[in-house]
Amino acid sequence: MNPASASATVSGHPLGLPDLELAVLFFVFACAAVHICQRLVEQAAVVIGTEARRASFARTALCVGSIVWALDAAGLFMYPELDLGEARLAPAILALIVMVVSGRWTIPALTNTRSPLRVVLAGAGLAIGMLAGNALLFSAFGDIALVMSWQAGVGALLLATVLAVVLALRHRSARLRKDPNAYSPFSWQEKVLGGLTVVPLHVCLANMFALAPIAPAHAGGFKLLLALVLFGIVGTAYQVQSLRIDAREDRSMNLALMLQNSANARLGAGGGQRLALIAERLPALLSPARMKLHFQPIFKAGDLDAPVRLEALLRVHDPELQHVDPELFFLACERLGRTTAADRIVIREALELSAPWRAAALECSGISVNITPNTPFDDDFVEWLARQLHETACPAGWLKLELTEHAMIRNADRLAHVMRELAALGVGVLMDDFGAGYSSLSMLGDLPIEGIKCDRTFVTGLEHDRRRQTLLRHICAMARELDLKITIEGIETGSDFKIVRRLGTHDVQGYYLARPMAADAVVRWLAARQAERYLDTSPHPTMRAP
Ligand code: C2E
Ligand code: MG
Ligand code: MG
């Protein structure tokens, strides 16, 4: 830079508009930065567990701060009249620290906060932090004159705040969408729009201060290279970290992963975000006030008029999250180590709700309650359950527990021991979702289970699927020979029902026969069914639940 132009910038003349070709390159860089920052924030938002979340946000802030820093530094090379000299290390590093710290303070609020006002405040906080970092970064490349263009300053502040707030609100609305299937991550158009906003933002930033070079003119490529290398390192670190997490999850094919897979299949791209939201709200959700039970009748296949057993199914409703999918709820519990607590609430609730049905001599032969695989391994579970049965005066045979089968593959000896203890209490255990992917036939011989419940996937399309019919017939025959009770669930049509009855199942369950209903509706339904049969001698009165 010649002395004349140096004195021009120091005396407060704006840098003006950037070189067009470099501005286009900068725009591409900005789009990539928006894309990576958004991915980082999205990834941080799905992390579950206080400690893991804190660590993830710290990593995210480090990456986002570094990327913004690198983008800012690269942007300085857009101005031909700004002949950059050697950078001073201290202000450059300080700038990076300020950007990382402001990201650490504001990104969790931008990502998690429900209140739009707080999102705006956090966005403004992030913008101020980034502006302060930018001023420091500028001072690394030249002497800042204490002459400031307030128009450029206000423009930069407004654009930075709008960018942070719009991105955060967009993320928030996608996360809190009532229908998790509708979750849509940022589109490339939105990212390009973000990149487009960054260009005028940087022009405002560059024109906030007058800058005098601190060293003789140099070709500036060295620092541009440095900035880009840093950007590359951060991007790569992010990728490596993600891959490492994926690999770790692949290795531990545990309940969480299995459920998460099925839950994700059900919920699409929003599954992870939805799960994280549920985990955030879990302390509030884990209470009898939020955890309501519905009951679905299980019929004797050979006699639909015989007393029914009722399976308790959890329904969680939250004012903010609306209906919470029970499988996702239990997955969130599992990730936070709260499955046992949830199962105990459900068991206690089911025993209490069903006690009056016995007293009223309604035609109900007992209840089935689902439990997660960890619960039987709890040291005091059997003792605790014995207490609950005693307190609710529950007779032997009334309660059955449905356990998802894949848990049985591990810890079979211990599980067999617990099952014998449960049998001594009069509580039978059924293997639920049999055949849903983790079937271990040897377990049928090893464990003292009372029966199996065939997964509803067996019934899907049964009418036209001869192979499935054959499979089901053989499963039924095998169960009968092993003296196990077999239930087929997921019966949705009359023809499904006819077929499974012919195949030799003991019990049947499904929407065709009766849908799950609230506890108070159960009493009415049982009474109406009894009355209907008393008046009407036809063999199969309408059994659909309200
Ligand atoms: P599950 O134990 O196999 O429960 C049966 C599921 O199939 C229920 O879904 C029920 O509403 C649904 N269903 C019943 N008949 C039909 C049908 O004809 N067609 C179709 N498509 N579905 C039918 P829900 O209530 O969404 O529960 C899903 C799973 O969540 C349960 O599968 C169970 O594994 C778990 N779950 C639900 N409540 C509890 C609970 O209180 N404790 C535990 N540990 N798990 C629970
Ligand atoms: Mg079940
Ligand atoms: Mg099942």
Side-chain angles (χ1 to χ4, degrees), residues 107-125:
I107 289 172
L110 280 171
T111 317
N112 296 334
T113 310
R114 313 276 191 272
S115 143
L117 179 67
R118 290 184 66 187
V119 170
V120 174
L121 289 178

mmCIF file of all heavy atoms in Angstrom, residues 107-125:
data_model
loop_
_atom_site.group_PDB
_atom_site.id
_atom_site.type_symbol
_atom_site.label_atom_id
_atom_site.label_comp_id
_atom_site.label_asym_id
_atom_site.label_seq_id
_atom_site.Cartn_x
_atom_site.Cartn_y
_atom_site.Cartn_z
ATOM 1 N N ILE A 107 -24.763 -20.182 21.643
ATOM 2 C CA ILE A 107 -25.295 -21.241 20.767
ATOM 3 C C ILE A 107 -26.250 -22.190 21.508
ATOM 4 O O ILE A 107 -27.310 -22.528 20.975
ATOM 5 C CB ILE A 107 -24.155 -21.997 20.050
ATOM 6 C CG1 ILE A 107 -23.535 -21.074 18.992
ATOM 7 C CG2 ILE A 107 -24.676 -23.253 19.355
ATOM 8 C CD1 ILE A 107 -22.286 -21.611 18.330
ATOM 9 N N PRO A 108 -25.935 -22.617 22.771
ATOM 10 C CA PRO A 108 -26.918 -23.485 23.459
ATOM 11 C C PRO A 108 -28.277 -22.804 23.584
ATOM 12 O O PRO A 108 -29.313 -23.434 23.363
ATOM 13 C CB PRO A 108 -26.286 -23.732 24.825
ATOM 14 C CG PRO A 108 -24.825 -23.525 24.603
ATOM 15 C CD PRO A 108 -24.720 -22.456 23.562
ATOM 16 N N ALA A 109 -28.262 -21.486 23.898
ATOM 17 C CA ALA A 109 -29.543 -20.775 24.028
ATOM 18 C C ALA A 109 -30.230 -20.677 22.669
ATOM 19 O O ALA A 109 -31.439 -20.874 22.554
ATOM 20 C CB ALA A 109 -29.312 -19.393 24.613
ATOM 21 N N LEU A 110 -29.452 -20.400 21.631
ATOM 22 C CA LEU A 110 -30.038 -20.300 20.285
ATOM 23 C C LEU A 110 -30.659 -21.621 19.859
ATOM 24 O O LEU A 110 -31.638 -21.674 19.134
ATOM 25 C CB LEU A 110 -28.957 -19.916 19.271
ATOM 26 C CG LEU A 110 -28.582 -18.443 19.191
ATOM 27 C CD1 LEU A 110 -27.353 -18.261 18.315
ATOM 28 C CD2 LEU A 110 -29.727 -17.622 18.642
ATOM 29 N N THR A 111 -30.067 -22.710 20.314
ATOM 30 C CA THR A 111 -30.518 -24.029 19.873
ATOM 31 C C THR A 111 -31.653 -24.572 20.720
ATOM 32 O O THR A 111 -32.572 -25.196 20.210
ATOM 33 C CB THR A 111 -29.327 -25.012 19.945
ATOM 34 O OG1 THR A 111 -28.183 -24.370 19.437
ATOM 35 C CG2 THR A 111 -29.581 -26.259 19.155
ATOM 36 N N ASN A 112 -31.569 -24.352 22.030
ATOM 37 C CA ASN A 112 -32.512 -25.026 22.939
ATOM 38 C C ASN A 112 -33.695 -24.183 23.357
ATOM 39 O O ASN A 112 -34.711 -24.721 23.766
ATOM 40 C CB ASN A 112 -31.802 -25.431 24.240
ATOM 41 C CG ASN A 112 -30.725 -26.443 23.974
ATOM 42 O OD1 ASN A 112 -30.798 -27.174 23.005
ATOM 43 N ND2 ASN A 112 -29.727 -26.485 24.834
ATOM 44 N N THR A 113 -33.518 -22.857 23.360
ATOM 45 C CA THR A 113 -34.535 -22.008 23.976
ATOM 46 C C THR A 113 -35.858 -22.096 23.232
ATOM 47 O O THR A 113 -35.897 -22.114 22.003
ATOM 48 C CB THR A 113 -34.061 -20.538 23.987
ATOM 49 O OG1 THR A 113 -32.766 -20.548 24.540
ATOM 50 C CG2 THR A 113 -34.962 -19.671 24.809
ATOM 51 N N ARG A 114 -36.942 -22.180 24.025
ATOM 52 C CA ARG A 114 -38.272 -22.226 23.424
ATOM 53 C C ARG A 114 -38.777 -20.815 23.123
ATOM 54 O O ARG A 114 -39.486 -20.595 22.177
ATOM 55 C CB ARG A 114 -39.261 -22.899 24.376
ATOM 56 C CG ARG A 114 -38.785 -24.188 24.982
ATOM 57 C CD ARG A 114 -39.052 -25.340 24.022
ATOM 58 N NE ARG A 114 -38.839 -26.605 24.681
ATOM 59 C CZ ARG A 114 -37.664 -27.218 24.747
ATOM 60 N NH1 ARG A 114 -36.608 -26.692 24.196
ATOM 61 N NH2 ARG A 114 -37.536 -28.383 25.370
ATOM 62 N N SER A 115 -38.415 -19.832 24.009
ATOM 63 C CA SER A 115 -38.975 -18.492 23.860
ATOM 64 C C SER A 115 -38.321 -17.735 22.703
ATOM 65 O O SER A 115 -37.098 -17.568 22.672
ATOM 66 C CB SER A 115 -38.771 -17.738 25.190
ATOM 67 O OG SER A 115 -38.483 -16.394 24.937
ATOM 68 N N PRO A 116 -39.130 -17.240 21.745
ATOM 69 C CA PRO A 116 -38.550 -16.503 20.621
ATOM 70 C C PRO A 116 -37.776 -15.262 21.072
ATOM 71 O O PRO A 116 -36.760 -14.915 20.480
ATOM 72 C CB PRO A 116 -39.762 -16.118 19.778
ATOM 73 C CG PRO A 116 -40.852 -17.032 20.200
ATOM 74 C CD PRO A 116 -40.580 -17.408 21.621
ATOM 75 N N LEU A 117 -38.251 -14.606 22.168
ATOM 76 C CA LEU A 117 -37.562 -13.402 22.645
ATOM 77 C C LEU A 117 -36.130 -13.739 23.070
ATOM 78 O O LEU A 117 -35.167 -13.022 22.766
ATOM 79 C CB LEU A 117 -38.349 -12.801 23.824
ATOM 80 C CG LEU A 117 -37.707 -11.543 24.430
ATOM 81 C CD1 LEU A 117 -37.749 -10.391 23.427
ATOM 82 C CD2 LEU A 117 -38.384 -11.148 25.735
ATOM 83 N N ARG A 118 -36.001 -14.859 23.779
ATOM 84 C CA ARG A 118 -34.659 -15.255 24.234
ATOM 85 C C ARG A 118 -33.781 -15.649 23.043
ATOM 86 O O ARG A 118 -32.574 -15.447 23.069
ATOM 87 C CB ARG A 118 -34.757 -16.392 25.248
ATOM 88 C CG ARG A 118 -35.365 -15.882 26.561
ATOM 89 C CD ARG A 118 -35.393 -16.921 27.630
ATOM 90 N NE ARG A 118 -34.056 -17.299 28.068
ATOM 91 C CZ ARG A 118 -33.820 -18.291 28.915
ATOM 92 N NH1 ARG A 118 -34.820 -18.977 29.390
ATOM 93 N NH2 ARG A 118 -32.594 -18.589 29.271
ATOM 94 N N VAL A 119 -34.415 -16.194 22.007
ATOM 95 C CA VAL A 119 -33.644 -16.521 20.798
ATOM 96 C C VAL A 119 -33.086 -15.235 20.195
ATOM 97 O O VAL A 119 -31.907 -15.159 19.819
ATOM 98 C CB VAL A 119 -34.533 -17.265 19.768
ATOM 99 C CG1 VAL A 119 -33.830 -17.388 18.426
ATOM 100 C CG2 VAL A 119 -34.891 -18.657 20.273
ATOM 101 N N VAL A 120 -33.942 -14.176 20.149
ATOM 102 C CA VAL A 120 -33.501 -12.889 19.584
ATOM 103 C C VAL A 120 -32.355 -12.318 20.423
ATOM 104 O O VAL A 120 -31.328 -11.856 19.893
ATOM 105 C CB VAL A 120 -34.683 -11.897 19.503
ATOM 106 C CG1 VAL A 120 -34.208 -10.522 19.068
ATOM 107 C CG2 VAL A 120 -35.732 -12.420 18.510
ATOM 108 N N LEU A 121 -32.507 -12.387 21.764
ATOM 109 C CA LEU A 121 -31.460 -11.853 22.640
ATOM 110 C C LEU A 121 -30.150 -12.617 22.447
ATOM 111 O O LEU A 121 -29.075 -12.026 22.349
ATOM 112 C CB LEU A 121 -31.905 -11.933 24.115
ATOM 113 C CG LEU A 121 -33.018 -10.953 24.501
ATOM 114 C CD1 LEU A 121 -33.418 -11.146 25.959
ATOM 115 C CD2 LEU A 121 -32.556 -9.506 24.270
ATOM 116 N N ALA A 122 -30.263 -13.958 22.375
ATOM 117 C CA ALA A 122 -29.054 -14.763 22.183
ATOM 118 C C ALA A 122 -28.426 -14.461 20.827
ATOM 119 O O ALA A 122 -27.196 -14.375 20.695
ATOM 120 C CB ALA A 122 -29.389 -16.249 22.305
ATOM 121 N N GLY A 123 -29.277 -14.250 19.810
ATOM 122 C CA GLY A 123 -28.774 -13.922 18.476
ATOM 123 C C GLY A 123 -28.021 -12.596 18.492
ATOM 124 O O GLY A 123 -26.932 -12.477 17.911
ATOM 125 N N ALA A 124 -28.595 -11.604 19.205
ATOM 126 C CA ALA A 124 -27.925 -10.298 19.303
ATOM 127 C C ALA A 124 -26.600 -10.460 20.053
ATOM 128 O O ALA A 124 -25.577 -9.855 19.685
ATOM 129 C CB ALA A 124 -28.832 -9.302 20.010
ATOM 130 N N GLY A 125 -26.604 -11.297 21.104
ATOM 131 C CA GLY A 125 -25.374 -11.552 21.877
ATOM 132 C C GLY A 125 -24.289 -12.152 20.985
ATOM 133 O O GLY A 125 -23.131 -11.726 21.022
#
